[in-house]
Amino acid sequence: MPVPADSRPYPIVYALRTVLTALAVALMVFAAPTPSSGQSVYIRSGGVLDVASGTVRSGQIVHVEGDRIAEVGPLSIPSGATVIDLGDNVLVPGFVEAHTHLALSTQQGRDFGRFFITNVIETTAYRALQGATNARSLLEHGFTTIRDLGNNGNYADLALKQAINEGWIPGPDMQTVGRIIAPFGGQFHLQPERPELIEPEYLIADTQDEMRKAIHQNLHYGTDLIKIVVDDFDYIYTEEDIRFAVDEVSRAGRKLAAHVATLQGAKNAIAAGVSSLEHAWELEDEDMRAMVAKDIYLVGTDFPPYYAGYFAGYDETRARALYEQRIDRLKRAYQIGVPIAFGADVTDQKDGHSRGSLTISFIESFLDAGVSAPDLLRILTINGATLMGLDNEKGSIEAGKLADLVAVPGNPLADPNVLQRVSFVMKRGVVYKRDGRFEWQVPTTIDAQ
Ligand SMILES: [Zn+2]
């Protein structure tokens, strides 16, 4: 129902916005395409991964028109056409990282690796700038799509997404959750004189009314999905609480991601029918079978042992024990057939690594859990795209889909570790990395969103 004109606040703002929108549309219509987009390009490579069959096909040419794949097959390249020749490198779909936090970079030297302190001492602006570097790093390492699951201060994730979409900074396509919704305390240990230190990291919701309000706030600011923390304290969200949130979020056509750390939290979230369990360190086989039946994804964020030691400060023996327990859970989930998406949840620094290189190194956990190379590639591409509702657009190299393409120096089915050495990255038909070098031009045309 339209709002009566006289009840609108600041009508001049609306008038101005209408004029600006008309102007923006006019500019978009007449804007010249940026040099590397909107073109017709033929890509020659050492092979093209077909995600569905789990095979690498040779003799294939990928024809990209604008931001989409026009054709794939043994095409003849018209004379005079623009050709990208990747030599022996093999083309795979752009990777999907389903659990990251762009604007959270804990630093031992500044916050002792504790994100509560990050929240207290760092501004959202500073964190957003770090996020811009993390976004570029993920793209450079092959991640053309990410699900950012919160901990971004005061909605830095939305600003990053807008800046990437408009072309101000290079980065993956994003889905965002805004502020994470949680019972009192969020994921922090507060003290009674400083309860405000929860701000701006979490939206606190202890009742269903508060939950609805928090969901509406996030949706109003433009988030793509909602995330709740189920069980970081003894007072956990019940099945009824979570079902209430699922219903509220579903009505808005969105999905609910649930952070769960305990077995009971996982059981509540599965019974309520969330879209994904984040972490879910503890799962019994019957829980996993319920996840299969309800098509609930596991985004396990299982880190390699060296990361456990560094991130949690565990000694080698304890880090190894934690790792073994988590890999056992991942192995059982894989064998039972739980839908799995790749998510690394990297928030810390490691010498010699960027956000992107550290993130892709998490494939080692999947290989340790006995995941086959074709399934690892599905977990890294089409599964994440499906969880995000983007499987018609992303996740495989097929005519009609967006041209999100990555090349690696070898056949990843024979040696999955080549996925850690991405040589070429294209997102939506635009080349961001070529011959192992990142390339990006400061834009001269901004596509205002
Ligand atoms: Zn996380």
Side-chain angles (χ1 to χ4, degrees):
M1 196 171 73
V3 180
D6 61 356
S7 73
R8 291 181 181 179
Y10 315 119
I12 184 68
V13 173
Y14 284 89
L16 193 61
R17 194 178 286 171
T18 306
V19 171
L20 285 174
T21 304
L23 197 63
V25 169
L27 283 173
M28 274 191 285
V29 169
F30 295 110
T34 50
S36 48
S37 68
Q39 296 178 348
S40 179
V41 180
Y42 290 80
I43 306 175
R44 199 183 274 140
S45 66
V48 176
L49 177 76
D50 176 52
V51 167
S53 64
T55 55
V56 169
R57 295 185 178 150
S58 54
Q60 304 283 297
I61 303 291
V62 179
H63 174 203
V64 174
E65 282 276 356
D67 61 357
R68 290 190 184 266
I69 298 165
E71 310 163 86
V72 184
L75 312 173
S76 53
I77 301 176
S79 63
T82 304
V83 176
I84 294 173
D85 193 337
L86 298 171
D88 292 338
N89 286 259
V90 172
L91 270 180
V92 299
F95 307 152
V96 179
E97 156 58 298
H99 186 131
T100 193
H101 307 274
L102 282 188
L104 179 60
S105 297
T106 54
Q107 302 166 84
Q108 295 291 335
R110 187 187 291 267
D111 53 26
F112 315 104
R114 292 173 180 269
F115 74 115
F116 176 47
I117 300 177
T118 312
N119 174 62
V120 171
I121 68 174
E122 291 178 354
T123 63
T124 298
Y126 172 65
R127 289 171 61 178
L129 291 167
Q130 293 176 316
T133 294
N134 289 334
R136 171 186 159 147
S137 172
L138 282 164
L139 184 62
E140 188 169 4
H141 288 274
F143 292 94
T144 51
T145 310
I146 63 170
R147 221 174 43 137
D148 191 306
L149 287 193
N151 293 123
N152 291 303
N154 200 11
Y155 293 102
D157 50 345
L158 297 180
L160 285 161
K161 178 182 172 178
Q162 183 179 2
I164 290 167
N165 288 349
E166 292 184 347
W168 287 106
I169 56 169
D173 288 353
M174 290 177 70
Q175 285 190 352
T176 61
V177 304
R179 290 171 68 180
I180 300 168
I181 299 171
F184 190 83
Q187 293 180 278
F188 297 156
H189 291 274
L190 300 171
Q191 52 105 328
E193 289 167 22
R194 294 282 183 272
E196 71 276 11
L197 293 182
I198 195 77
E199 295 287 336
E201 209 68 11
Y202 294 89
L203 288 175
I204 294 308
D206 287 298
T207 67
Q208 294 185 354
D209 278 352
E210 288 170 346
M211 205 178 246
R212 174 185 278 135
K213 189 170 186 179
I215 291 168
H216 289 184
Q217 176 173 327
N218 276 330
L219 294 179
H220 178 86
Y221 292 134
T223 65
D224 301 287
L225 70 156
I226 297 293
K227 179 183 173 191
I228 58 170
V229 171
V230 172
D231 54 357
D232 272 15
F233 297 107
D234 292 343
Y235 44 91
I236 74 175
Y237 280 144
T238 63
E239 179 187 332
E240 290 69 33
D241 291 334
I242 304 170
R243 182 169 287 121
F244 177 86
V246 168
D247 289 347
E248 192 68 31
V249 170
S250 303
R251 266 197 294 280
R254 309 298 215 284
K255 296 189 177 192
L256 187 77
H259 162 109
V260 294
T262 67
L263 185 60
Q264 189 58 51
K267 286 180 185 297
N268 291 358
I270 293 166
V274 301
S275 293
S276 60
L277 295 190
E278 310 301 318
H279 319 302
W281 313 123
E282 296 180 36
L283 285 174
E284 293 174 342
D285 289 359
E286 64 178 27
D287 305 316
M288 296 180 179
R289 284 191 284 273
M291 290 174 76
V292 175
K294 294 185 164 196
D295 197 27
I296 297 173
Y297 276 72
L298 172 66
V299 187
T301 67
D302 298 307
F303 37 73
Y306 63 81
Y307 192 76
Y310 187 79
F311 182 66
Y314 290 175
D315 64 36
E316 206 168 298
T317 311
R318 198 170 163 208
R320 172 52 67 174
L322 180 68
Y323 179 69
E324 304 277 331
Q325 186 258 330
R326 289 178 179 180
I327 292 305
D328 170 69
R329 190 272 279 108
L330 181 58
K331 189 181 288 180
R332 284 186 293 119
Y334 176 58
Q335 286 167 355
I336 287 172
V338 174
I340 297 171
F342 181 89
D345 196 20
V346 170
T347 55
D348 215 337
Q349 312 297 306
K350 187 175 191 303
D351 285 347
H353 272 288
S354 65
R355 174 65 64 95
S357 68
L358 199 48
T359 296
I360 191 61
S361 77
F362 279 44
I363 61 170
E364 293 170 20
S365 306
F366 291 89
L367 296 171
D368 271 3
V371 173
S372 72
D375 284 334
L376 173 63
L377 281 152
R378 292 183 186 108
I379 286 168
L380 198 56
T381 59
I382 191 68
N383 288 16
T386 306
L387 168 61
M388 294 171 75
L390 299 173
D391 43 315
N392 288 330
E393 297 279 77
K394 288 170 175 272
S396 58
I397 302 176
E398 289 179 73
K401 287 197 173 184
L402 288 166
D404 289 3
L405 303 167
V406 162
V408 292
N411 185 341
L413 298 175
D415 176 12
N417 281 312
V418 295
L419 298 169
Q420 299 196 49
R421 292 187 281 126
V422 164
S423 57
F424 170 87
V425 178
M426 171 183 276
K427 190 192 85 169
R428 293 177 177 259
V430 177
V431 175
Y432 288 93
K433 191 176 190 180
R434 201 190 302 255
D435 300 326
R437 298 170 76 117
F438 196 77
E439 58 179 49
W440 181 73
Q441 303 279 318
V442 173
T444 51
T445 304
I446 293 296
D447 182 13
Q449 308 264 313

